[in-house]
């Protein structure tokens, strides 16, 4: 039982680890070639939804129903506000103990308010696309791995962030700013309430990505670039001969725990009380390194060691440099899952047998076939059915066997026509009728000729 429990638990871990949320509060994508002095690209997407409920109606409900407002624009480093944001991000990175620096920023802003019958939703989305440098601390050489600084990944921008789009200033970091622009009545009702505090929480906050140690992230690598098929079917020169290592954060697992939505609630009162909620999904991130990588900590700084080739201890195959131990590990995980499923299903089967809930079926050797159809004209269709040798086939005979009986019952029809032939005999029996009529005439004449009162005596 203890072994069975271990196998079942392992299967549960595998299934749980594959569960990933469909949307994220802060989602980061980063890819690096691990080259000193190189500039790589980082994309961080921030999302949040605010919902105002007015099930009981009210003046705000009448004002918001059917309303639709949207604000969408893109700004680059040509705007002074974007450059100010870049400098603030660099300051936050330095506070995290990282030597990395942001050199360029692009902002894509998209926010919409939609008023419905029972609630109003406001969806915020900000995408920061940044160029980062100085994150590669050391290039790989000899038997030493390259080092990549990853302490910068938890950047957060507090307070207001104002940028200019088409000459118009827009504050983008605080949710309440958009409400003040498009729904002044709602903004006035929120001021001074606990809902105002909730709506002043900055949107650009990726601190949850930094809070999760890299050692807890899910690690995978893609050996496509070193596979012999890569050269056979063609591949970009920059990808050929390269293995990509990846780390994923945001999945539910025993290491990271169950990832849940971040939901906060507050209320405010004007003519009536209104409920307000903010909803964000769990933070998530994907980072990729060109080479084989591992996690290390140097002076309280999380770094990733990256080898351009497989380190010593990794086996190779004829297909290239794909690590055999990884293949065995993946096969072992699949085998453990299969064994666990087999044990559970076998236990259930035995339990069903003891309870008498299993249908074992019929031994084919105890069955015999019987024809149920004959040919018609020059065409013959072979049909049949099976029944037990020990059973009386007459009790289960197919309806097809009744057709010959119906045809036999129709054969006596000519005999019925023969029975109609005695009709002339009945006519012969009617011939004596004239004799009876003659006798009656004679007696009548005799009686008529006798004298009145005469008696034969």
């Amino acid at each position: 039982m203890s072994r069975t429990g271990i196998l079942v638990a392992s299967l549960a871990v595998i299934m749980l680890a594959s569960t990933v949320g469909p949307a994220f509060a802060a989602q980061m994508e980063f890819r690096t070639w691990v080259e000193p002095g190189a500039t790589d690209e980082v994309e961080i997407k921030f999302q949040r939804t605010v919902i105002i409920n007015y099930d009981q109606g009210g003046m705000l409900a009448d004002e918001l129903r059917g309303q639709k407002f949207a604000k969408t624009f893109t700004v680059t480093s040509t705007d002074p506000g974007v450059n100010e944001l870049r400098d603030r991000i660099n300051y936050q990175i330095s506070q995290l103990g990282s030597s990395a620096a942001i050199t360029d920023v692009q902002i894509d802003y998209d926010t919409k308010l939609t008023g419905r019958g029972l609630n109003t939703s406001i969806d915020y989305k900000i995408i920061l696309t940044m160029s980062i440098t100085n994150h590669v601390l050391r290039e790989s050489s000899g038997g030493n791995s390259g080092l990549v600084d990853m302490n910068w990944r938890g950047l957060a921008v507090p307070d207001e962030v104002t940028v200019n789009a088409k000459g118009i200033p827009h504050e983008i970091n605080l949710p309440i700013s958009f409400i003040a622009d498009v729904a002044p009545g709602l903004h006035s009702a929120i001021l001074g309430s606990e809902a105002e505090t909730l709506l002043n929480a900055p949107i650009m906050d990726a601190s949850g990505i930094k809070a999760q140690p890299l050692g807890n992230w899910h690690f995978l690598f893609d050996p496509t670039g070193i596979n012999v098929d890569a050269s056979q079917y063609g591949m970009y020169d920059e990808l050929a001969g390269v293995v990509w290592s990846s780390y994923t954060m945001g999945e539910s697992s025993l290491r990271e725990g169950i990832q849940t939505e971040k939901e906060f609630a507050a209320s405010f009162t004007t003519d009536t009380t209104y409920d307000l909620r903010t909803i964000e999904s769990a933070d998530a991130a994907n980072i990729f390194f060109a080479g084989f990588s591992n996690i290390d900590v140097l002076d309280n700084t999380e770094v990733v060691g990256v080898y351009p080739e497989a380190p010593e201890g990794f086996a190779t195959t004829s297909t290239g440099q794909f690590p055999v131990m990884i293949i065995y590990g993946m096969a072992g995980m699949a085998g453990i899952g299969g064994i666990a499923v087999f044990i559970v299903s076998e236990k259930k089967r035995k339990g069903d047998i003891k309870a008498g809930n299993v249908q074992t079926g019929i031994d084919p050797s105890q069955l015999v076939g019987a024809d149920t159809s004959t040919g018609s004209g020059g065409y013959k269709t072979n049909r049949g059915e099976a029944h037990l040798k020990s059973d009386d086939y007459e009790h289960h005979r197919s309806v097809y066997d009744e057709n010959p009986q119906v045809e036999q019952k129709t054969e006596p029809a000519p005999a019925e026509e023969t029975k109609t032939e005695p009709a002339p005999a009945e006519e012969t029996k009617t011939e004596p009728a004239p004799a009876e009529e003659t006798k009656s005439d004679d007696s009548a004449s005799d009686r008529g000729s006798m004298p009145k009162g005469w008696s034969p005596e």
Side-chain angles (χ1 to χ4, degrees):
M1 292 298 295
S2 61
R3 292 183 178 178
T4 302
I6 293 173
L7 293 175
V8 173
S10 301
L11 180 61
V13 170
I14 296 171
M15 297 176 64
L16 188 62
S18 62
T19 305
V20 181
F24 310 93
Q27 180 181 9
M28 185 181 77
E29 295 282 340
F30 170 64
R31 185 181 297 268
T32 178
W33 288 91
V34 197
E35 296 175 352
T39 299
D40 294 310
E41 186 175 280
V42 184
E43 180 184 279
I44 306 180
K45 182 186 299 182
F46 304 94
Q47 293 178 301
R48 185 177 301 174
T49 296
V50 175
I51 299 177
I52 301 113
N53 294 308
Y54 38 76
D55 299 350
Q56 305 302 321
M59 292 188 298
L60 278 178
D62 297 336
E63 178 183 337
L64 294 174
R65 285 193 185 102
Q67 296 296 320
K68 290 186 177 181
F69 300 100
K71 186 184 291 188
T72 303
F73 56 80
T74 298
V75 288
T76 63
S77 57
T78 57
D79 174 54
V82 176
N83 290 328
E84 180 183 351
L85 174 62
R86 178 201 62 202
D87 295 339
R88 293 173 62 183
I89 291 174
N90 284 329
Y91 175 77
Q92 294 295 326
I93 290 176
S94 66
Q95 294 300 303
L96 294 173
S98 174
S99 61
I102 301 299
T103 59
D104 191 27
V105 178
Q106 175 179 302
I107 301 173
D108 294 287
Y109 182 83
D110 185 4
T111 300
K112 295 180 177 64
L113 180 148
T114 305
R116 303 181 181 85
L118 297 178
N119 62 65
T120 290
S121 65
I122 308 172
D123 299 307
Y124 299 86
K125 182 170 69 173
I126 300 174
I127 301 176
L128 294 182
T129 304
M130 303 176 291
S131 298
I132 187 171
T133 189
N134 296 338
H135 54 290
V136 178
L137 303 178
R138 184 184 71 192
E139 66 176 328
S140 60
S141 61
N144 297 323
S145 66
L147 293 180
V148 181
D149 176 13
M150 292 302 300
N151 258 20
W152 56 267
R153 68 185 187 278
L155 64 89
V157 182
D159 304 324
E160 297 182 354
V161 174
T162 302
V163 296
N164 290 279
K166 298 181 180 179
I168 302 175
H170 301 277
E171 200 292 309
I172 62 173
N173 198 31
L174 306 181
I176 198 170
S177 301
F178 176 77
I179 296 175
D181 289 344
V182 301
L186 175 61
H187 177 258
S188 299
I190 290 173
L191 290 178
S193 67
E194 59 181 358
E196 180 185 8
T197 303
L198 192 58
L199 293 175
N200 276 313
I203 298 174
M204 289 185 281
D205 184 357
S207 56
I209 297 177
K210 177 66 169 63
Q212 188 68 252
L214 285 173
N216 290 353
W217 292 30
H218 185 61
F219 171 74
L220 288 173
F221 67 90
D222 179 9
T224 303
I226 62 174
N227 195 295
V228 292
D229 292 337
S231 58
Q232 179 179 353
Y233 295 103
M235 177 174 285
Y236 288 114
D237 293 338
E238 60 181 5
L239 298 178
V242 179
V243 169
W244 283 97
S245 300
S246 67
Y247 294 86
T248 301
M249 176 224 162
E251 62 184 12
S252 292
S253 68
L254 294 181
R255 293 178 304 169
E256 296 186 45
I258 303 300
Q259 304 299 308
T260 59
E261 292 182 340
K262 294 181 286 185
E263 183 173 341
F264 303 93
S267 62
F268 59 95
T269 303
T270 53
D271 57 316
T272 186
T273 300
Y274 299 89
D275 296 324
L276 183 145
R277 290 184 300 146
T278 64
I279 303 172
E280 297 179 64
S281 294
D283 294 331
N286 293 294
I287 56 178
F288 303 89
F289 302 92
F292 291 90
S293 63
N294 59 355
I295 307 298
D296 202 352
V297 178
L298 298 177
D299 298 330
N300 297 323
T301 299
E302 284 186 297
V303 296
V304 176
V306 183
Y307 297 87
E309 298 178 355
E312 186 177 354
F314 277 77
T316 59
T317 66
S318 59
T319 59
Q321 299 175 352
F322 192 90
V324 171
M325 293 304 298
I326 299 299
I327 298 176
Y328 290 159
M330 296 172 65
M333 293 291 285
I336 290 173
I339 293 172
V341 171
F342 174 78
I343 292 175
V344 172
S345 61
E346 181 66 13
K347 183 177 180 181
K348 183 178 182 302
R349 186 186 70 84
K350 292 180 179 179
D352 291 340
I353 293 175
K354 291 180 180 179
N357 297 329
V358 178
Q359 180 179 356
T360 57
I362 300 173
D363 184 358
S365 64
Q366 300 301 315
L367 296 175
V368 63
D371 292 338
T372 59
S373 176
T374 57
S376 175
Y379 178 78
K380 179 176 178 59
T381 299
N382 293 324
R383 296 180 181 176
E385 62 183 25
H387 63 90
L388 291 172
K389 294 179 179 180
S390 59
D391 199 0
D392 184 4
Y393 177 62
E394 294 297 326
H395 292 294
H396 308 285
R397 185 168 47 197
S398 171
V399 293
Y400 295 109
D401 288 340
E402 296 179 2
N403 290 337
Q405 297 177 5
V406 173
E407 293 176 1
Q408 292 175 3
K409 290 180 180 180
T410 58
E411 291 178 1
E416 293 179 0
E417 294 177 2
T418 306
K419 290 180 180 179
T420 58
E421 292 179 0
E426 293 179 0
E427 292 176 2
T428 306
K429 291 180 181 180
T430 58
E431 290 178 0
E436 292 177 0
E437 291 176 3
T438 305
K439 289 180 180 180
S440 61
D441 292 342
D442 293 342
S443 59
S445 60
D446 292 341
R447 286 194 298 269
S449 61
M450 287 182 183
K452 191 174 184 181
W454 182 80
S455 170
E457 296 176 357

